Amino acid sequence: MGVGPSDPVAKTPLHVEGKQFVLNGKPFQILSGEIEYARVPRADWSDRLRKVRAMGLNTVTVYVFWNLHERRPGEFDFSGQNDVAEFIREAQREGLYVVLRPGPYVCAEWDLGGYPAWLLKESNPAGSTTPALLLRSSQPEYLAAARRWMLRLGKELAPLQADRGGPIIAVQVENEYGSFKVKEDRQQYLQQVLQMVRDAGFGESMLYTADGGDELRDGSIPGMLAAIDFGTGDLPHELPKLQAFQPKAPTFIAEYWDGWFDHWGEKHQVTDAAVQEAEIRAAIEKGYSISLYMVEGGTSFGWMNGANSDGGNYQPDVSSYDYDAPIDEAGRPRAKYFAMRKMIAETTHQTLPPVPDSPPMMKLPRWQLKESRSLWVNLPTPVHADAPRSMEELDQAYGYILYRTNLKAGAGNVGGGPALLQIDAVHSYARVYVDGALQGTIDRRLGQTQLRINAQVGQRLDVLVENSGRINFTTKIRGERAGIVGDVKLDGIVLRDWKIVPLPLDPPPADGYREQACAGPCFYRSMFQVSAPGDTYLNTSSLGKGVVWVNGHLLGRFWNIGPMGSLFLPGAWLHSGSNEVIVMDLDGGPTASISADDHPTYLDPKAAAKSMPAPAAN
């Protein structure tokens, strides 16, 4: 399949002529690196973009996250940290072109692949737990929502295309659709997404698709440039697949994975920098275009981490998206950055601008989180329902949700010894309590759906569920609801009459804190002093499982199973003088403390597993 001068892309500032790209009449080689505006504090955007340019790259690649901008249907937010147009303008000021990836699906190890959770609110009839709206399909209801989003995004970003003096030179249509294994009419869906991209005004840029080598045929659009995605060590056997599929077109490696991401409970990922340097050099020397995924990964702040599903196993990602990228999570160039910079300068014969200085990281001695309050105090008003309902059904996207019922006679083996609690599906992690006493946990990562509990008639059963991050890849996204999905049974008897308490924790509780002992799920609050704000890492290794806010910013999640034992705290979010930290820890105890280091902390998941108490029998 070829791309030639007669195709629509030939009229754009960047277009295809034979086996090369031409930009404004001159041959052009895309040398790009990916950074996400949402994973870097706005105050640091220019610093990171300047470092991208100083590395020798001429372009930055950018995903756009639908769920950040349309948190409620029809209500859009492009302000502050969400001002993606300003990020693109800053890229231009730093001398960079932009490759835009507007979705509507983006993957990106981001919750639900960037889709807003409200898309999954409605169920099919007859009490089905299957969402009525089908993601990534030709269903009219889905396409209408996606089109509304794309047209609104076009108002923000279409004016920033190169034909209007902006830096956007290329726009990706959908994202790795070839990996989405469905039996539906693929071309029908892709053509509909292509049309909404054009209607949004992005047809003034070169359009392309990107897929893995074995998925190129299923994810590409006839007559449009196809690009390829692959990782470290894969160049020799993956690149020929693209060149065989599209022999008369330029070679564009749209994602070269120069690192990898971490899952909770698994080892920290470190990749082979020497192989990466050699493969990137080979690509550049042969005139291929390439985008490094990632040049800086940053942080999936808040609740935004996604999850994988490897062979059906749920694998939630940590909040750090450091990715072992050339620029680390805190914006500091690694050794591989300087090695790649030197190589790029040699192969492209550039005189590169100097690398911006990175100020020293900050350290703070350990301090006590003296004020606390229990999660159980002053709970919000519950929703009454006969059966459990998902977060999405209750207009909740992220955080925690509590399911509460009183056990009645006839509900299983209540009072006659251990009873078997069974839940159709927990998305994604639950703590089970009877009259406030912890019975055990049900963890989706481990394939758990049941737990033996001791309970009496009249006692209160609480199931506190954490949304640990929705799956962002494969067709599983279509049913990826959070909370309890389905029924709860005790010895096979379905439990009814639930009080459901949404706990989005947005923001966390502002009052009720006292200098008092706390046990179980607890919030802790403290002030800490900073003389001169700087980037740092909060060391969370002494805590259990939960989340941390600093000055109202939700940094992300911690969990003592590793591999992350810290959370990146940007200096841009600190003040000279007093700063507030709030910790929510499911493993609360009489005291809690925290410190700040000038480096990240990693935990050994195997050692952490050995030190944890044995789980209750399933």
Side-chain angles (χ1 to χ4, degrees), residues 44-162:
D44 295 328
W45 286 349
S46 60
D47 170 77
R48 306 301 195 268
L49 293 166
R50 198 169 295 129
K51 286 169 179 169
V52 172
R53 184 68 193 95
M55 189 174 163
L57 304 178
N58 56 30
T59 305
V60 63
T61 301
V62 184
Y63 272 134
V64 184
F65 302 105
W66 181 1
N67 62 348
L68 290 184
H69 299 281
E70 194 180 2
R71 292 181 181 268
R72 294 179 181 84
E75 298 179 13
F76 296 94
D77 178 12
F78 289 94
S79 64
Q81 184 71 43
N82 286 348
D83 192 351
V84 60
E86 180 58 23
F87 181 84
I88 289 172
R89 286 190 289 266
E90 289 207 25
Q92 185 173 30
R93 287 193 285 270
E94 298 302 334
L96 294 164
Y97 293 105
V98 171
V99 171
L100 184 69
R101 307 213 280 172
Y105 165 80
V106 298
C107 187
E109 289 70 60
W110 194 262
D111 186 88
L112 202 59
Y115 282 123
W118 51 260
L119 288 170
L120 300 178
K121 177 179 179 179
E122 301 298 333
S123 292
N124 280 314
S128 170
T129 57
T130 303
L133 191 147
L134 206 60
L135 301 181
R136 296 184 92 183
S137 77
S138 295
Q139 183 192 61
E141 294 85 352
Y142 164 75
L143 289 174
R147 179 178 177 82
R148 180 180 65 201
W149 154 245
M150 195 65 68
L151 294 181
R152 180 62 183 85
L153 182 64
K155 292 180 180 179
E156 294 289 320
L157 302 186
L160 296 175
Q161 293 173 100

Side-chain angles (χ1 to χ4, degrees), residues 37 194 198 235 409 451 512 575-576 597 618:
Y37 61 101
L194 171 61
R198 284 177 170 159
L235 185 145
L451 178 73
H575 319 302
S576 295
D597 300 327
N618 279 345

Side-chain angles (χ1 to χ4, degrees), residues 516-556:
Q516 58 189 356
C518 191
C522 295
F523 293 92
Y524 299 89
R525 184 176 68 180
S526 177
M527 305 300 292
F528 63 99
Q529 302 297 312
V530 172
S531 56
D535 294 338
T536 189
Y537 288 89
L538 290 185
N539 189 319
T540 60
S541 58
S542 65
L543 303 174
K545 178 174 176 58
V547 289
V548 177
W549 295 262
V550 172
N551 294 332
H553 296 276
L554 181 51
L555 303 186

Side-chain angles (χ1 to χ4, degrees), residues 12-33:
T12 61
L14 177 72
H15 59 270
V16 172
E17 289 188 9
K19 299 184 71 172
Q20 68 179 5
F21 292 123
V22 171
L23 178 61
N24 297 326
K26 297 180 180 179
F28 185 74
Q29 183 178 21
I30 300 171
L31 301 178
S32 186

